[in-house]
Amino acid sequence: MESQEQVIAHSESSTGTKNVGKAVLRFEDLKIIKGIRGYTDDIEFADQHYAALLSSPYAHAKIIKIDVSKASQVPGVLLILTGKEIKSLTNPMSSRAATKSPTSHYILAVDKVRYMGEPVALVVAKSKYIAADAVGLIEAEYEPLPVVSNIEDALKKDAPLIYPELGSNELIYDHFEFGDVPKAFKEADKIVKQRIKIQRYASTPLETWNVNAYFDRTREELTVYASDQQPGRTVQSVERTIKIPSSKIRLIVPPVGGGFGNKLAIWQYVALIGLASKLCGKPVKWVQTRMENLYAFHRPRGFMDAEFAMRKDGKILGVKLSDWQADGNWPYVAALYSLIKFANMSGVYEIRNLSFEYRSVATNDPPIVQDRGVGKPFMSFVLERMMDIAAEELQIDKIAIRQKNLIPTEKMPYTTASGEVYESGNYPETLRRALKLSDYYSKREEQEKLRKEGRYIGIGLAEGIEPGTSNLGYYFLSKADQPDYNGAGQMSTVEIAQDGVVKVNMNGPEIGTGHVTTIAQVVSDVFGLEPSEIVVDASFDSTLGHLTYAGTYSNAFNDVYLGAVMKASERLKSKVISIASSVLNEPKESLFLKDGYICKNVQKPQKLLSFKELAKISYGRLLSFPKNEEPGLKVVAAYINPTAKPFVRSDFNVQLTHSNSVHVCYVEVIPENWSIKILDYSIVHDAGKVINPSIVEGMAIGSTVSGIGGAMYEEFVFDEQETNLSLTFGDYLKPTAMEAPELRIEQMESPAPNTVFGTKAVGEGGAITSLAAVAGAIEDALKPFNVRITELPVTPEKIWNWVKDSKEFKKINGEAR
Amino acid sequence: MVTVSMKINGKNYSGEAEPRTLLVHFIRDTLRLKGTHIGCDTGHCGACTILWNGEPVKSCQILAVQAEGADLTTVEGLEPEEGKYSIEQESFREHFAMQCGYCTPGFLMMTRYLIRNNPEMTREEIREKLHGNYCMCTGYQQIVDAVQDAQKKFLISKK
Amino acid sequence: MYPANFEYVRPKTVKEALSLISSMEGSRIIAGGQSLLPILKLRLFEPASLIDIGFIPELKQIKVEDKHTVRIGAMVRHHEILDNALIRGNLPMLSSTAENVADVQIRNRGTIGGSICEADPAADYLPTLMALDAKVHLKSDNGERSLSIEEFIKGPFETDIQDGEMLTEVEIERNTENFVVEKYARRKADFAVASVAALARVAKEGRVEYIRIATGATTEGPKRLKDLENSIRGKTSHQLDLGEIVGKAISSIGMISDLHGSSEYRKYVLRGMLIRTVGNLIKMER
């Protein structure tokens, strides 16, 4: 078993890294611009049938009766499923969640609905339109139950219980403490306290959830195409629920139209549609509507009570956080967000005394999912707001207070108080560069000038840690049972096909983040080819080797996927050289790969054997094949990030690579309507080594704009009956090209010592650090009004509510309101 | 069922559709042109944008029967010839203006129209013209770069 | 996402359309479809039949009669209102308003007739049409009638259209006075949180000879602010305390309240917008 150090040595010494750091134009784009990308909905089976869902209009209700008699009469309807059939045919969805698993959650609602939009019935019909017609004719009768719509009410003594079998709406309570927190708070010159809230919001990939399943009755095999970000685990979940052995399931993930974590929860529907196909004997396709997508699977809302023990010079002595999260009624990810938040609670700062307690609370909020950042956006928001608030209360400059607490680069790699290992990073330098890039001090001068003219101008700065590659299983630190899987790894396949072409199957879903091109770049260097000559398969296929939790999420691509691809490539290359050496009777050390040939004599390359010829020998001419080698030129390799620690409560890491950035946001608030204009926005970010700078820059921009959406526009609004009022893009407001500002970006590189190329997490970054930069800027603009911003989104109407009783407001508006 | 006749990407087509069939479903499911996408239910996101007599429309906001006699262009009709790429397509690729690509056909159709009808747009004007097309991945900046570049290339090609 | 079934007819003339409207039970007109399609897709409303007036040439005409009466067919699309030379030349305020409607794609399909009949209180045309004293022409099998916008719009999403009637034309007298059309919304394509449509003519000595002010997003639909107009007419801008008279004029207005703005907030925004826009307008000389 090759060690990770050896992999790095191979890539550097023997092949060079000619294509690393190059902005190679994306190969994925060639299909996209022709409209032939091949998303899940583009695939049609012969005799394709379609599924439609009936969704619950109530957030909490008993299902009294579902009458499908009229619906089944509609010509073209093949099958209707309700909770009754589901209960007898399937197992409940297993919980990898709460300490005591609620067992009453099935792939369709059984007996009870717990959120508005919960699927209650499924229709399969010849066309999408007929299926929708039939759904319209299903008569469902409900008995509404008292609704639990907020955390405080959920925890009251006689609160209605979301899961009666649990006896409480508190799914999990836990508390971690490190260092000497009481001492820190005793020695503090000032305790800064604040409650900070976050709204329910979500990345909304433009492609909704799509599943197309075909159960072949002769082979007793289920083939499913789905836009799924964690297909490895889906296969297991499908087996567990609809009882088809995983060895008889083939799950294929075509290119996905955006993931962002939202598509990690699709497995319930893969099971449901798979079952539907099995029962009706036809291929069944389900295309989620946008309204269905907006019903559920968002980031949770909640609040944190933060207490910072401060020395009067700005040094943070200790931090206490109390986190309350409305995890809805999908316990499968309870604790997941909380523990990631906790692992990041000291951010880029040296804080050794930490206390974190959290509550995962069940309410009739809809289910949550691991959406972009999974708690880090909120944690970073809290941390950076507290830095600004502490600066204000201590009368210290906002930059100075950060500089005082940043982890110095000499201490890298740095282990936080809880055991999270920051492998590299230069936080003071990132800050220095950001101040320069944004022309921060000139902006402060300009702000002074413009303030005197009566304009409301503000600057916000935030420093964020942006980790990736989850050490899976960490969320079980709070739970009684053991996780199905843990660690961080992936498995990929590299081969020289029989036509001599180098083929890579990363075997991780392609969600749009440039995997194909990035892999082509690094693999081309191994084999001495051009990136355009490497064939990279951009889909996941469960029949190929994969680890249990294979998928594209938590920014793991730059770490374990690249690792697996490189490991397989280097092994294949070794094998090629070894076979060629025997066949050609040349010493291994004299051979190298160039332009599709095994060559010798580096100064004046001599082509000895083509890849195609070698493939012919390795796959077919076995009498000419060296006796000590294995025929074929295909390698499957799994790569593990070696820094993943087994979990103990006193010392654990949740994520394994740590990028970081500084965002500087410059805004004006217009008092006529309190709207916010972003005048300027600069980012310096460090994602370690960058393989394709244009791809990485694109993700920094995109993630930041999605963060701006969360900071200023996006919120799922519920009434007291937990009716979701934000079910179209007219009500749930996404930033368009007009709301997105121009971003100025500079990249710096602190290579990670624990990944093959030194690459780190890319993809969540901007969504994490932008929230506090934007909120801080707006708060700064509103300084004359004495507003403290402790919630999101910051909207013009909210600002009006905050300022309208202030002296400054009365001054500019006369006495009239 | 009603007979519908129209021109799509230069080819004449005549067939049957239910009156309630959305044009985007007609394009995707009956004509099997999968490049035009669906991203929402309410005509907001623009993923379904095509050209109708050269002008952009949202095909999910039109019934197929309303398009009787229309001259439609979809993303499949952009390429100047087999294996080649149009100015819009090249500019988008050169500027990394796509990530998952789901919104891209809609943006490409807008670009085809804009560069021919609005020469010399500023970046702000480009953003304004594109506010009916949502992208969840790119943050729009590289798309604006691509449109500016396509604009330049188009003006040069006209000289 | 999938409309329910309906019958579909495509009349070639207004006469044919009117006969279908009165004879087909549960029928609904489809013009541009930009408001109707989302309603059909979400099955908020399931008409038994749709009468497609998109193929009637008579409804697509734009004419200027006697050099001063502009007649715009119901099927004239927003992008034409924006681009058409006759409208830009004779009703620049209307062209300017069309620019605020939704986005490029929707403007290529949506129609002025459809927009007026939808009567969304936060939609863009209605305040402008009110300020311009526009008239709508309605036809039926039995005859025809003309109404002012005030008479036609009864409230949010409610018009005076009777069974068997169809809006065929909008008639507006040529008006090239100085104007302002503005809407404040969360994003450009969204419906107005508050809006102002105003015209003014200021004489050489600064006296306001002519003033019309209308607003949208109120609980009554679009509204002419006649009290405010009366307070301004005949005076110069120096003689006016706009803050006071605007405050008084809007104190009795009920603003709509929804996810995008409470009524109190909308009132605040409207006040500031009126003071600024009307203030600038009455300073503008001819």
Side-chain angles (χ1 to χ4, degrees):
Chain A
M1 181 92 154
E2 271 184 351
S3 77
Q4 188 244 323
E5 286 84 358
Q6 287 173 301
V7 176
I8 293 177
H10 280 160
S11 7
E12 280 178 358
S13 66
S14 54
T15 56
T17 49
K18 184 178 85 163
N19 285 298
V20 172
K22 249 172 134 180
V24 172
L25 295 186
R26 292 188 359 155
F27 303 110
E28 297 87 322
D29 296 358
L30 295 170
K31 297 251 169 64
I32 292 173
I33 57 184
K34 293 265 183 187
I36 52 173
R37 176 75 157 151
Y39 303 95
T40 302
D41 187 29
D42 299 348
I43 295 162
E44 303 269 344
F45 286 107
D47 202 19
Q48 183 77 65
H49 281 62
Y50 301 86
L53 295 172
L54 176 66
S55 307
S56 165
Y58 292 103
H60 203 196
K62 277 201 200 123
I63 302 173
I64 304 297
K65 190 165 76 127
I66 303 183
D67 185 348
V68 305
S69 51
K70 288 205 188 90
S72 8
Q73 301 297 324
V74 175
V77 169
L78 212 53
L79 172 74
I80 304 185
L81 294 175
T82 67
K84 200 167 92 190
E85 293 81 40
I86 294 299
K87 192 168 184 185
S88 65
L89 293 172
T90 72
N91 291 322
M93 293 190 278
S94 85
S95 172
R96 50 165 195 166
T99 37
K100 297 165 235 167
S101 309
T103 55
S104 56
H105 223 137
Y106 288 81
I107 56 179
L108 268 188
V110 170
D111 299 334
K112 189 173 150 167
V113 292
R114 293 186 190 85
Y115 66 96
M116 182 195 184
E118 184 165 7
V120 157
L122 177 94
V123 171
V124 176
K126 257 180 36 194
S127 84
K128 292 180 279 220
Y129 285 74
I130 293 173
D133 292 340
V135 165
L137 291 172
I138 297 177
E139 288 163 342
E141 228 180 280
Y142 304 89
E143 181 192 304
L145 295 169
V147 160
V148 181
S149 66
N150 62 72
I151 289 170
E152 284 97 340
D153 288 344
L155 295 175
K156 290 200 176 113
K157 214 160 59 118
D158 357 291
L161 292 178
I162 308 293
Y163 292 101
E165 60 269 40
L166 287 183
S168 160
N169 287 325
E170 186 177 88
L171 296 176
I172 303 182
Y173 169 84
D174 206 348
H175 177 227
F176 292 80
E177 197 157 312
F178 294 86
D180 192 343
V181 175
K183 180 161 176 271
F185 274 71
K186 197 145 143 245
E187 290 175 353
D189 292 320
K190 192 168 180 65
I191 313 284
V192 178
K193 284 190 193 181
Q194 189 63 60
R195 173 170 283 197
I196 298 176
K197 297 197 292 192
I198 193 84
Q199 83 276 36
R200 219 177 140 104
Y201 69 117
S203 307
T204 49
L206 199 59
E207 177 204 39
T208 58
W209 296 5
N210 289 191
V211 181
N212 196 348
Y214 175 49
F215 185 81
D216 183 326
R217 285 176 170 172
T218 33
R219 293 165 61 89
E220 289 188 317
E221 266 179 17
L222 177 66
T223 300
V224 189
Y225 289 80
S227 55
D228 187 341
Q229 281 186 260
Q230 197 177 35
R233 205 180 121 243
T234 295
V235 171
Q236 311 290 324
S237 303
V238 170
E239 176 178 43
R240 265 202 286 264
T241 45
I242 67 174
K243 307 180 215 180
I244 295 175
S246 53
S247 54
K248 291 285 197 176
I249 299 173
R250 183 176 186 191
L251 176 55
I252 298 164
V253 181
V256 176
F260 315 114
N262 174 265
K263 288 169 177 160
L264 288 167
I266 195 178
W267 55 270
Q268 171 188 3
Y269 294 89
V270 177
L272 184 59
I273 305 300
L275 177 69
S277 176
K278 182 172 177 199
L279 293 174
C280 74
K282 301 282 185 192
V284 179
K285 182 191 280 200
W286 175 64
V287 176
Q288 186 191 47
T289 67
R290 179 53 65 186
M291 186 171 285
E292 286 168 347
N293 180 266
L294 294 178
Y295 272 135
F297 298 105
H298 318 128
R299 294 182 183 88
R301 53 182 168 173
F303 55 87
M304 247 195 240
D305 287 332
E307 289 181 58
F308 273 46
M310 305 297 299
R311 209 165 63 195
K312 62 173 180 266
D313 64 350
K315 180 95 182 108
I316 306 167
L317 299 178
V319 172
K320 276 195 226 169
L321 294 177
S322 210
D323 177 54
W324 309 68
Q325 187 168 293
D327 274 349
N329 52 80
W330 188 265
Y332 311 100
V333 297
L336 215 142
Y337 267 76
S338 311
L339 285 164
I340 291 188
K341 280 186 273 196
F342 167 56
N344 288 287
M345 72 181 278
S346 48
V348 291
Y349 306 112
E350 268 208 283
I351 313 170
R352 305 303 305 179
N353 304 305
L354 304 171
S355 162
F356 185 96
E357 67 164 9
Y358 78 85
R359 286 169 183 81
S360 163
V361 181
T363 65
N364 288 113
D365 271 10
I368 63 169
V369 72
Q370 304 94 298
D371 194 316
R372 204 169 200 176
V374 197
K376 291 174 297 234
F378 185 32
M379 188 65 251
S380 194
F381 180 63
V382 170
L383 198 48
E384 288 302 289
R385 292 278 60 233
M386 289 303 284
M387 295 304 279
D388 281 351
I389 289 167
E392 188 200 309
E393 293 198 5
L394 292 172
Q395 305 268 299
I396 293 177
D397 175 71
K398 288 179 194 167
I399 304 297
I401 199 173
R402 287 169 166 89
Q403 286 164 333
K404 188 118 199 112
N405 289 286
L406 286 177
I407 299 165
T409 201
E410 309 83 69
K411 292 200 174 175
M412 291 294 168
Y414 174 88
T415 305
T416 69
S418 55
E420 189 87 355
V421 180
Y422 296 168
E423 67 285 2
S424 68
N426 192 339
Y427 308 141
E429 179 64 16
T430 317
L431 176 58
R432 248 191 307 275
R433 292 198 194 184
L435 293 172
K436 182 150 178 267
L437 182 69
S438 64
D439 215 2
Y440 179 87
Y441 294 105
S442 302
K443 285 196 164 63
R444 280 287 178 210
E445 281 172 22
E446 186 178 74
Q447 178 189 38
E448 260 315 294
K449 187 165 134 276
L450 294 172
R451 271 186 171 152
K452 293 199 173 82
E453 294 173 20
R455 289 170 65 177
Y456 301 110
I457 306 281
I459 309 176
L461 183 145
E463 301 225 38
I465 190 101
E466 300 165 357
T469 314
S470 291
N471 184 7
L472 292 166
Y474 60 86
Y475 36 85
F476 278 79
L477 281 170
S478 291
K479 300 176 192 177
D481 38 328
Q482 281 303 305
D484 286 341
Y485 46 76
N486 55 33
Q490 290 292 0
M491 184 183 275
S492 297
T493 305
V494 179
E495 66 180 288
I496 294 179
Q498 300 199 29
D499 56 1
V501 169
V502 175
K503 270 190 75 177
V504 180
N505 198 311
M506 178 188 102
N507 219 26
E510 170 68 40
I511 59 174
T513 48
H515 294 169
V516 165
T517 305
T518 308
I519 287 173
Q521 287 179 243
V522 299
V523 171
S524 68
D525 283 341
V526 176
F527 292 100
L529 291 164
E530 289 303 309
S532 55
E533 295 173 296
I534 310 290
V535 172
V536 183
D537 193 330
S539 63
F540 173 90
D541 187 330
S542 65
T543 54
L544 296 175
H546 67 277
L547 301 182
T548 312
Y549 44 74
T552 301
Y553 53 91
S554 85
N555 308 331
F557 169 77
N558 264 344
D559 176 2
V560 288
Y561 269 122
L562 276 186
V565 165
M566 286 306 291
K567 195 168 180 184
S569 299
E570 293 287 355
R571 273 205 196 144
L572 179 58
K573 179 181 168 185
S574 266
K575 188 171 180 180
V576 163
I577 303 260
S578 193
I579 295 168
S581 162
S582 287
V583 164
L584 298 166
N585 209 6
E586 295 274 355
K588 280 191 210 171
E589 314 75 59
S590 69
L591 297 175
F592 62 98
L593 307 180
K594 188 172 159 59
D595 297 337
Y597 283 85
I598 297 113
C599 307
K600 77 169 185 187
N601 200 346
V602 180
Q603 280 76 27
K604 210 166 157 213
Q606 205 186 327
K607 291 179 177 165
L608 299 178
L609 188 67
S610 72
F611 283 8
K612 192 169 179 183
E613 269 302 303
L614 185 73
K616 275 206 165 78
I617 296 168
S618 306
Y619 284 104
R621 295 207 202 107
L622 299 184
L623 292 177
S624 328
F625 192 75
K627 291 209 167 24
N628 58 331
E629 296 280 354
E630 183 92 359
L633 294 173
K634 185 169 182 162
V635 174
V636 179
Y639 173 91
I640 302 171
N641 185 313
T643 53
K645 296 188 273 204
F647 302 107
V648 289
R649 288 177 66 91
S650 57
D651 177 21
F652 60 95
N653 54 5
V654 165
Q655 297 192 292
L656 305 172
T657 72
H658 301 80
S659 301
N660 70 284
S661 74
V662 174
H663 288 216
V664 183
C665 179
Y666 189 51
V667 303
E668 176 163 16
V669 177
I670 311 295
E672 186 180 301
N673 43 44
W674 305 104
S675 61
I676 304 128
K677 265 187 84 166
I678 299 178
L679 303 172
D680 195 86
Y681 201 112
S682 302
I683 302 170
V684 174
H685 77 110
D686 186 338
K689 189 107 195 84
V690 166
I691 293 175
N692 187 318
S694 292
I695 288 178
V696 171
E697 185 179 70
M699 296 223 276
I701 296 170
S703 60
T704 300
V705 169
S706 88
I708 289 171
M712 293 170 64
Y713 295 94
E714 300 180 38
E715 180 176 9
F716 286 100
V717 178
F718 297 86
D719 67 13
E720 329 73 53
Q721 290 308 308
E722 287 275 54
T723 306
N724 188 336
L725 302 173
S726 324
L727 290 174
T728 73
F729 281 149
D731 291 318
Y732 185 80
L733 305 181
K734 304 296 298 189
T736 71
M738 287 187 81
E739 288 71 47
E742 297 277 339
L743 302 174
R744 183 184 303 113
I745 300 190
E746 188 181 297
Q747 294 180 13
M748 56 182 269
E749 293 185 357
S750 302
N754 62 337
T755 62
V756 173
F757 288 99
T759 49
K760 296 186 186 185
V762 175
E764 286 177 352
I768 293 170
T769 310
S770 57
L771 301 181
V774 172
I778 299 170
E779 182 182 272
D780 191 42
L782 297 173
K783 192 150 175 211
F785 301 90
N786 259 316
V787 168
R788 183 172 281 187
I789 295 182
T790 55
E791 62 178 79
L792 293 175
V794 182
T795 65
E797 180 163 356
K798 274 192 189 172
I799 293 176
W800 172 72
N801 268 303
W802 295 331
V803 303
K804 67 186 188 328
D805 294 319
S806 71
K807 256 205 316 238
E808 176 78 9
F809 183 93
K810 293 192 166 74
K811 190 174 100 192
I812 60 175
N813 278 293
E815 282 307 321
R817 273 221 257 123
Chain B
M1 292 293 234
V2 170
T3 308
V4 187
S5 306
M6 59 183 72
K7 207 182 210 168
I8 301 233
N9 299 328
K11 290 206 191 103
N12 286 316
Y13 182 82
S14 190
E16 294 219 306
E18 277 189 330
R20 62 170 168 167
T21 304
L22 303 178
L23 182 57
V24 67
H25 287 137
F26 186 76
I27 289 169
R28 286 183 60 79
D29 301 332
T30 309
L31 299 177
R32 304 214 116 93
L33 296 169
K34 302 293 187 183
T36 305
H37 300 141
I38 299 171
C40 75
D41 311 327
T42 47
H44 282 96
C45 78
C48 63
T49 302
I50 61 170
L51 298 181
W52 175 312
N53 296 348
E55 310 236 306
V57 294
K58 292 180 173 176
S59 60
C60 75
Q61 290 277 87
I62 301 171
L63 301 170
V65 292
Q66 288 181 288
E68 174 65 33
D71 183 357
L72 305 180
T73 318
T74 65
V75 65
E76 290 89 348
L78 284 181
E79 59 185 46
E81 41 178 288
E82 183 81 39
K84 292 265 178 359
Y85 301 94
S86 71
I87 285 174
E88 303 85 11
Q89 289 169 317
E90 275 180 1
S91 297
F92 267 63
R93 181 159 185 248
E94 281 161 21
H95 290 271
F96 293 84
M98 62 207 101
Q99 290 179 27
C100 84
Y102 200 75
C103 70
T104 306
F107 276 101
L108 285 172
M109 304 320 289
M110 287 301 293
T111 306
R112 164 140 294 193
Y113 164 77
L114 289 172
I115 63 179
R116 282 159 178 74
N117 291 279
N118 296 266
E120 294 165 14
M121 295 174 282
T122 63
R123 288 181 74 87
E124 214 179 302
E125 284 166 342
I126 292 171
R127 285 174 180 274
E128 207 257 308
K129 293 282 181 217
L130 292 177
H131 77 255
N133 291 70
Y134 291 13
C135 174
M136 309 295 181
C137 295
T138 67
Y140 304 102
Q141 193 153 312
Q142 287 154 314
I143 292 176
V144 178
D145 294 343
V147 175
Q148 270 195 317
D149 184 51
Q151 188 173 237
K152 267 197 213 96
K153 285 196 172 95
F154 181 72
L155 290 172
I156 291 170
S157 76
K158 294 268 101 188
K159 293 204 169 97
Chain C
M1 195 52 208
Y2 310 100
N5 253 317
F6 48 78
E7 264 198 75
Y8 171 84
V9 287
R10 196 189 283 153
K12 296 190 209 62
T13 63
V14 171
K15 190 151 173 271
E16 208 185 317
L18 291 174
S19 140
L20 290 167
I21 291 168
S22 42
S23 61
M24 293 180 89
E25 190 77 42
S27 67
R28 174 81 172 232
I29 290 175
I30 181 167
Q34 302 308 282
S35 301
L36 188 59
L37 261 295
I39 290 171
L40 295 177
K41 284 187 281 190
L42 296 178
R43 298 201 179 196
L44 299 175
F45 171 61
E46 299 180 25
S49 52
L50 279 190
I51 301 171
D52 185 352
I53 60 169
F55 292 83
I56 302 177
E58 187 187 328
L59 295 176
K60 300 186 184 184
Q61 297 183 27
I62 301 170
K63 290 193 284 229
V64 180
E65 280 176 3
D66 303 324
K67 293 196 183 153
H68 58 80
T69 303
V70 183
R71 308 187 97 96
I72 304 169
M75 272 300 299
V76 172
R77 304 200 196 254
H78 303 311
H79 79 102
E80 294 176 88
I81 306 239
L82 182 52
D83 290 335
N84 180 280
L86 289 176
I87 297 182
R88 291 180 82 85
N90 290 288
L91 294 169
M93 188 187 190
L94 190 63
S95 284
S96 208
T97 305
E99 205 184 324
N100 285 339
V101 175
D103 54 49
V104 172
Q105 296 98 309
I106 288 175
R107 290 200 286 271
N108 281 330
R109 293 293 302 167
T111 63
I112 188 166
S115 192
I116 294 171
C117 290
E118 179 68 11
D120 189 319
D124 299 283
Y125 282 127
L126 296 177
T128 295
L129 291 171
M130 245 181 189
L132 289 171
D133 278 331
K135 288 214 240 319
V136 295
H137 288 299
L138 304 163
K139 279 200 174 137
S140 74
D141 268 346
N142 306 322
E144 50 189 275
R145 59 187 182 125
S146 287
L147 297 173
S148 69
I149 290 287
E150 277 99 332
E151 290 165 331
F152 186 60
I153 306 290
K154 300 233 88 94
F157 302 101
E158 215 194 310
T159 70
D160 192 56
I161 207 158
Q162 304 297 318
D163 285 340
E165 274 189 327
M166 182 170 96
L167 188 153
T168 54
E169 197 178 70
V170 182
E171 182 191 311
I172 314 172
E173 287 300 302
R174 175 188 151 89
N175 191 323
T176 56
E177 305 293 359
N178 289 329
F179 67 89
V180 66
V181 173
E182 225 183 82
K183 92 173 175 191
Y184 171 71
R186 291 300 315 276
R187 303 170 306 168
K188 182 108 197 257
D190 295 329
F191 285 104
V193 167
S195 64
V196 170
L199 296 143
R201 185 172 65 240
V202 178
K204 260 228 181 69
E205 65 274 22
R207 231 175 4 97
V208 177
E209 292 181 331
Y210 170 84
I211 179 107
R212 305 308 251 290
I213 306 170
T215 187
T218 80
T219 51
E220 296 166 48
K223 203 173 155 70
R224 273 275 296 279
L225 301 178
K226 292 196 170 137
D227 287 345
L228 185 58
E229 293 170 2
N230 291 336
S231 310
I232 294 173
R233 197 177 299 111
K235 305 216 166 53
T236 72
S237 62
H238 306 289
Q239 296 172 306
L240 294 165
D241 180 349
L242 269 183
E244 206 213 308
I245 54 175
V246 165
K248 216 156 135 219
I250 66 174
S251 61
S252 55
I253 298 181
M255 301 295 287
I256 63 179
S257 191
D258 68 13
L259 224 55
H260 304 301
S262 67
S263 54
E264 282 303 304
Y265 170 67
R266 289 174 189 262
K267 211 171 231 185
Y268 173 84
V269 174
L270 180 61
R271 180 178 170 271
M273 194 188 276
L274 279 169
I275 293 172
R276 175 177 48 86
T277 55
V278 173
N280 285 334
L281 198 59
I282 63 179
K283 288 200 202 96
M284 285 158 84
E285 278 184 28
R286 212 151 173 39

